[in-house]
Amino acid sequence: MKEARAIEHMWKRIYATGVGDTLMGLDLICYFFILKGLEERSSHQLGTQNTLFAGVGAEACHWSIIKQMARSDPHECCQHLRTEVVRWLRSLDPESCLADADQAFVRVEPTILYRLMEAIDALCEESLSLQDAFEAVLTWVEREGAFEPKAGQIMTPMHIAYLMADLVRPQAHERVIDASCGTGNLLVAVWQHMRRSQNSPSWLLDSGRVLSAKVSPRLPVPALLGYDFNSMMLPPCYAHLLLCGADMPHVRCSDAL
């Protein structure tokens, strides 16, 4: 119940920007979750701070610093998001949807920026992890009708995705391709299975999800390949994989047919 209220509160901030389309709202939320996930990764992994946030101006791209700026000067923060932050994200993975972050941040209004970031933090505090918080968002937007089943946008529920991964038993040395990846549920389940097969997790939830504070094992790059013909599906899939621990996911726009 608390998660649902937190998500509804967060979406009120998005609607206040004039974004009435749920899928466009999800597109914006994805980039904020990516920023938050990158900061969490840098703080949990020794040495990442010197590489992930290296370079001139990159230090100011931390989620916490952006949030402080949003509180003190929202107009300057919006400009910072649309210039320095976009430039930094593009440099991390220029062939991915990170290069299109400017199209999302241009929709952010200064008046709601800090409150939107506060709402995202509140949701994350109610969840076990960033991945859980983001999956709660995906479930909510699906119930709100963000996806079009008639157009083939049918997202595999996570518990079914975990079952399929357990049946296929993908190994860390193998490469897995989802030619119609959607929000990345199947690829996330594959990643979780690979993690579980490589080390003993701290906690294994009944859904099949691995919950561990340990650094995720590195897999062959790219071990997971996601493709979708709808470019609006790329940010959710990218964010979903990033938040479950995958390194710079290979998610691209392509027609499987």
Side-chain angles (χ1 to χ4, degrees):
M1 289 295 293
K2 288 184 178 180
E3 270 191 356
R5 285 197 297 269
I7 293 173
E8 289 173 2
H9 183 65
M10 181 177 64
W11 231 263
K12 284 181 181 178
R13 305 304 179 194
I14 294 174
Y15 290 147
T17 68
V19 176
D21 184 88
T22 308
L23 190 55
M24 289 185 70
L26 175 62
D27 182 66
L28 174 60
I29 285 294
C30 288
Y31 288 103
F32 279 110
F33 265 95
I34 286 170
L35 286 173
K36 190 168 177 62
L38 289 172
E39 180 179 75
E40 182 179 84
R41 179 174 298 187
S42 73
S43 63
H44 286 178
Q45 295 183 0
L46 184 63
T48 306
Q49 181 73 20
N50 298 325
T51 56
L52 186 57
F53 287 92
V56 179
E59 188 67 25
C61 296
H62 277 278
W63 168 269
S64 54
I65 294 177
I66 296 171
K67 188 179 176 184
Q68 289 174 10
M69 190 182 298
R71 186 173 188 176
S72 60
D73 192 338
H75 290 275
E76 181 184 348
C77 186
C78 277
Q79 184 63 21
H80 176 63
L81 278 172
R82 296 164 186 169
T83 54
E84 298 302 321
V85 174
V86 165
R87 191 177 300 117
W88 174 68
L89 287 173
R90 187 178 291 122
S91 70
L92 294 179
D93 196 355
E95 300 299 321
S96 73
C97 61
L98 295 188
D100 301 322
D102 56 330
Q103 299 177 25
F105 290 142
V106 75
R107 296 193 291 269
V108 181
E109 291 293 331
T111 53
I112 62 93
L113 178 56
Y114 177 74
R115 286 177 291 174
L116 176 58
M117 297 182 77
E118 273 277 273
I120 293 172
D121 278 339
L123 171 62
C124 293
E125 288 173 5
E126 296 294 337
S127 307
L128 286 173
S129 66
L130 290 183
Q131 181 186 343
D132 285 285
F134 188 70
E135 287 177 357
V137 171
L138 293 179
T139 301
W140 189 87
V141 299
E142 185 170 13
R143 284 202 302 264
E144 290 294 303
F147 310 125
E148 294 290 342
K150 291 182 179 179
Q153 294 178 354
I154 303 172
M155 307 307 157
T156 306
M158 286 307 305
H159 66 285
I160 300 296
Y162 285 125
L163 173 62
M164 293 172 67
D166 286 342
L167 291 172
V168 176
R169 299 180 181 275
Q171 301 301 306
H173 64 278
E174 295 178 322
R175 181 171 293 182
V176 178
I177 300 174
D178 188 344
S180 185
C181 59
T183 55
N185 294 9
L186 287 169
L187 291 173
V188 167
V190 166
W191 171 263
Q192 292 284 332
H193 184 93
M194 288 177 172
R195 288 181 64 188
R196 194 165 69 241
S197 65
Q198 281 201 314
N199 63 342
S200 298
S202 300
W203 300 95
L204 180 61
L205 305 184
D206 58 4
S207 65
R209 182 158 128 32
V210 176
L211 183 66
S212 174
K214 297 179 181 178
V215 176
S216 303
R218 288 190 173 275
L219 300 178
V221 180
L224 305 178
L225 305 175
Y227 299 97
D228 203 288
F229 74 94
N230 185 350
S231 60
M232 293 293 286
M233 291 292 101
L234 304 187
C237 183
Y238 194 99
H240 201 179
L241 283 165
L242 187 78
L243 294 174
C244 80
D247 281 332
M248 297 305 162
H250 184 94
V251 181
R252 303 291 186 264
C253 189
S254 181
D255 190 342
L257 299 180

